[in-house]
Amino acid sequence: QVRLVESGGGLVQAGGSLRLSCAASGNSFSINTMGWYRQAPGKQRELVATISSGSSTNYADFVKGRFTISRDNAKNIVRLQMDSLAPEDTAVYYCNVRIWYSDYWGQGTQVTVSS
């Protein structure tokens, strides 16, 4: 099994920044892709950003130019730097890792952006 531990959520004013971190731990595994998803009230869970084992990145249109995903393979950590935050970014953010054909999820961390 794989356990994901997230940190970095909180309350921030519009225009501010937050950095989310997620550490993956387990006995033995090779992570193919790591990423972040979010779910706002009344909305479906949606992709925010992903990063492959080769560090290729993919971003949702609504975060391009504002968010940056990065990865530390030695420590099995994925980070999401969020800048220029807006109230519509308010959501629960979930860490995700993909190992072969299996997905693993973190517990979610709340991000709230005030006007």
Side-chain angles (χ1 to χ4, degrees), residues 61-105:
D61 288 340
F62 54 81
V63 303
K64 286 183 178 178
R66 299 189 298 124
F67 293 5
T68 303
I69 190 169
S70 61
R71 177 171 178 165
D72 185 336
N73 290 327
K75 298 181 179 180
N76 287 330
I77 294 174
V78 61
R79 298 183 175 91
L80 185 69
Q81 177 67 43
M82 303 185 293
D83 298 320
S84 301
L85 284 163
E88 54 263 37
D89 294 316
T90 296
V92 177
Y93 284 70
Y94 297 91
C95 178
N96 168 265
V97 301
R98 176 163 290 175
I99 302 174
W100 291 103
Y101 300 104
S102 298
D103 283 325
Y104 300 87
W105 296 91

